[in-house]
Amino acid sequence: WVDHTAKYGFQDITYKLSPEDGTARIAINRPEVHNAFRPITVNELRKAMDLAQDDPTVGAIILTGEGTYAFCSGGDQAVRGEGGYDDGSEPVPRLRVLDLHVQMRRCPKPIIAAVAGYAIGGGHILHMVADLTIAADNAVFGQTGPRVGSFDAGYGSSHMARIVGQKKAREIWFLSRFYSAQEALDMGLVNKVVPLAQLEGETMKWCRRIMENSPTAISCLKAALNADEDGQAGSMQLAGNATRLFYLSEEGKEGRDAFLAKRPARFRAVPTSK
Ligand code: 2NE
């Protein structure tokens, strides 16, 4: 891994690249609070996601937590002020974690959560919003919002129900208990469970396998799999892919060239896709 954390001045996360594997690794790095996130953390995650998305050498993004004790324990309760999470870094108390979820969904590259230890509360939602999850056998999953006076009524509820079903989603939220890696696998919350020592290797194996496949096919499939859940915004994402591909076609280019040459477009003279 090539460590780019200092280059971008990140304090709550680490950002690393593996150019040979075409993979970016984004990790929450607050082990003293089991990788709980505060506004600064979320904004750094948003920035790192942008960096990875825009980097042409990156084909897959790993989201993880530093250390083996916790992937992420959710929102940092120590900075929950009167009106929301407040670490002094934002003009108003706010945690832009729902924006991060939307960004992850819209990212055309696959995001793979590598979970060791606790994935709790907002941390659990982060792994659910990722496209794939590889869990270590010491992973523990659960929502604790109702215990601490919080909830996520966005993807944290609706996407969870799509993954595990309505009854199970209600159990996870209403009872707020914890589940083992094997239980998570059984209910389809994670893709694979491996011994802790193999977590990184297995995750890299999945990334390398993805990198062998067509990036356009993968980004269109991600948009398609998101589309019905994401309503108009989901259709737009899929439509954006269609427009991008159309721009590459002779027909698309003819429209642009004709306008620039101030002549009528000759669409019938170029190959069209039906
Ligand atoms: C994760 C868990 C179960 C681990 O328990 P344990 O006993 O192994 O560790 P301990 O002692 O609880 O934690 C170690 C240190 O980390 C801090 C603790 O306060 C403790 O600090 P010290 O006493 O050593 O000073 N810590 C752990 N999690 C923290 C957190 N989230 N915020 C601040 N400090 C934290 C256990 O630690 C646990 O249950 N953690 C809390 C999980 C939680 O309730 N998360 C918030 C859910 S709400 C949320 O995430 C959310 C949302 O619902 C909607 C939108 C956005 C966020």
Side-chain angles (χ1 to χ4, degrees):
W1 291 108
V2 183
D3 194 344
H4 292 268
T5 307
K7 177 172 161 192
Y8 296 107
F10 293 138
Q11 50 175 313
D12 282 10
I13 68 165
T14 57
Y15 182 67
K16 298 180 182 175
L17 296 172
S18 174
E20 321 76 80
D21 299 306
T23 301
R25 179 183 184 276
I26 301 171
I28 302 175
N29 188 25
R30 304 188 72 217
E32 67 285 2
V33 285
H34 292 339
N35 291 330
F37 53 72
R38 54 182 176 170
I40 291 172
T41 327
V42 171
N43 289 334
E44 290 186 355
L45 289 171
R46 293 170 60 233
K47 164 88 178 161
M49 284 287 169
D50 263 342
L51 289 169
Q53 177 169 341
D54 291 347
D55 186 334
T57 69
V58 172
I61 302 166
I62 297 172
L63 179 62
T64 190
E66 291 297 350
T68 55
Y69 200 80
F71 169 76
C72 173
S73 63
D76 186 334
Q77 299 307 295
V79 301
R80 250 179 87 178
E82 288 298 305
Y85 291 83
D86 187 5
D87 61 7
S89 67
E90 288 271 354
V92 291
R94 71 176 171 201
L95 188 64
R96 299 189 60 186
V97 75
L98 301 183
D99 291 338
L100 173 63
H101 298 163
V102 171
Q103 183 182 1
M104 289 168 66
R105 296 276 290 188
R106 303 206 105 199
C107 176
K109 299 174 180 178
I111 301 171
I112 298 123
V115 176
Y118 288 105
I120 302 295
H124 186 249
I125 295 162
L126 282 181
H127 102 82
M128 280 196 301
V129 174
D131 297 293
L132 300 163
T133 300
I134 312 291
D137 52 7
N138 76 335
V140 179
F141 300 87
Q143 298 299 154
T144 52
R147 281 197 217 167
V148 298
S150 182
F151 59 89
D152 181 331
Y155 286 121
S157 298
S158 59
H159 189 51
M160 180 195 285
R162 299 245 179 180
I163 297 172
V164 301
Q166 284 283 348
K167 292 281 184 189
K168 203 71 192 176
R170 283 158 212 251
E171 174 191 315
I172 293 171
W173 274 108
F174 296 176
L175 276 64
S176 302
R177 73 173 181 86
F178 291 168
Y179 300 85
S180 69
Q182 186 57 48
E183 286 175 303
L185 184 66
D186 292 344
M187 61 176 125
L189 260 182
V190 306
N191 297 87
K192 185 157 187 180
V193 177
V194 294
L196 176 59
Q198 290 169 22
L199 180 63
E200 175 131 345
E202 184 68 21
T203 308
M204 289 307 290
K205 219 188 277 178
W206 284 53
C207 290
R208 283 188 209 106
R209 180 65 195 245
I210 289 169
M211 287 297 290
E212 290 167 12
N213 292 333
S214 152
T216 301
I218 287 169
S219 68
C220 288
L221 284 165
K222 175 167 173 172
L225 289 162
N226 287 345
D228 73 327
E229 198 177 345
D230 287 353
Q232 180 65 34
S235 309
M236 272 165 52
Q237 183 78 8
L238 201 50
N241 278 292
T243 310
R244 187 167 55 85
L245 292 172
F246 179 61
Y247 283 168
L248 295 169
S249 73
E250 292 307 311
E251 187 183 345
K253 286 188 231 169
E254 169 59 14
R256 175 203 59 196
D257 292 348
F259 175 82
L260 293 176
K262 299 189 186 307
R263 63 166 172 79
R266 293 187 286 266
F267 288 120
R268 305 275 157 197
V270 295
T272 58
S273 47
K274 299 262 182 339

